[in-house]
Amino acid sequence: MKNIVLFGPPGAGKGTQAILIKEKYNLVHISTGDVFRFNIKNKTALGLLAKSYIDNGDLVPDQVTIDMLKAEVEKDTDANGFIFDGFPRTESQADALDIFLKEKGTGINGMIALEVAENILVERLLKRGEISGRSDDQDETKIRNRFNEYNTKTAVLKDYYSKQNKYYGINGVGSISSITEAICEVFDKL
Ligand code: AMP
């Protein structure tokens, strides 16, 4: 099993790249944001709980997110590997993921991070909001709050995985295919 965390701030291109990488290596892609949005759309208890956080651009509480992530992994225990997209986003989520994967006899092989400057990200997110209708992409105040959450709670994970020699930063600006290629180059060596 080869498991990666696809990392980066909102709008870095994690979702776009995850779909391409998943096809190439036959991996299971888990996007916690997508799972939350699916639950919101279907008005499940989890969706109702998560909605106000997501609408405000806040992180959903750790325990709720961790439990959901575990349930998603359990659906595909015989996978070739997982792409974790949008998870972990806090140090406790990273700890929980390490413990959980260890129990399953596996672990994270690497964190591949898409590095993009914040001013480019705001443009990208506003554009995505026009196309997708995602409300958290349409309001600059919410976008700024998501960056604040990222900078105060999530960015520390770069150190977390660097300490384990598992951090691989790549330039997230360029053509989609050139970025996919750069990700594959890292993935092949993991
Ligand atoms: P995303 O699609 O990854 O940009 O996630 C959209 C929103 O879902 C985030 O702004 C958070 O409100 C919530 N969310 C997604 N993943 C997580 C996570 N790992 N921890 C907490 N909240 C999350």
Side-chain angles (χ1 to χ4, degrees), residues 32-33 36-37 54 58-60 65 86-87 89 93 134:
T32 42
F36 282 134
R37 282 185 288 277
I54 293 179
D58 291 329
L59 292 186
V60 176
T65 309
F87 187 96
R89 263 177 154 102
Q93 290 181 15
R134 261 181 73 169

Side-chain angles (χ1 to χ4, degrees), residues 53-126:
Y53 295 100
I54 293 179
D55 282 349
N56 291 326
D58 291 329
L59 292 186
V60 176
D62 277 337
Q63 205 50 55
V64 175
T65 309
I66 291 165
D67 289 347
M68 176 193 90
L69 188 277
K70 288 183 179 175
E72 290 297 313
V73 171
E74 295 292 358
K75 287 182 190 167
D76 278 294
T77 43
D78 55 357
N80 269 338
F82 291 91
I83 303 177
F84 297 104
D85 160 11
F87 187 96
R89 263 177 154 102
T90 64
E91 209 160 323
S92 0
Q93 290 181 15
D95 283 336
L97 183 63
D98 271 358
I99 294 166
F100 178 62
L101 292 179
K102 205 168 182 188
E103 281 166 11
K104 305 232 153 275
T106 183
I108 293 295
N109 296 76
M111 164 182 268
I112 304 180
L114 301 176
E115 297 172 337
V116 184
E118 205 165 294
N119 57 333
I120 299 177
L121 294 170
V122 177
E123 297 289 315
R124 282 191 190 176
L125 289 170
L126 289 169

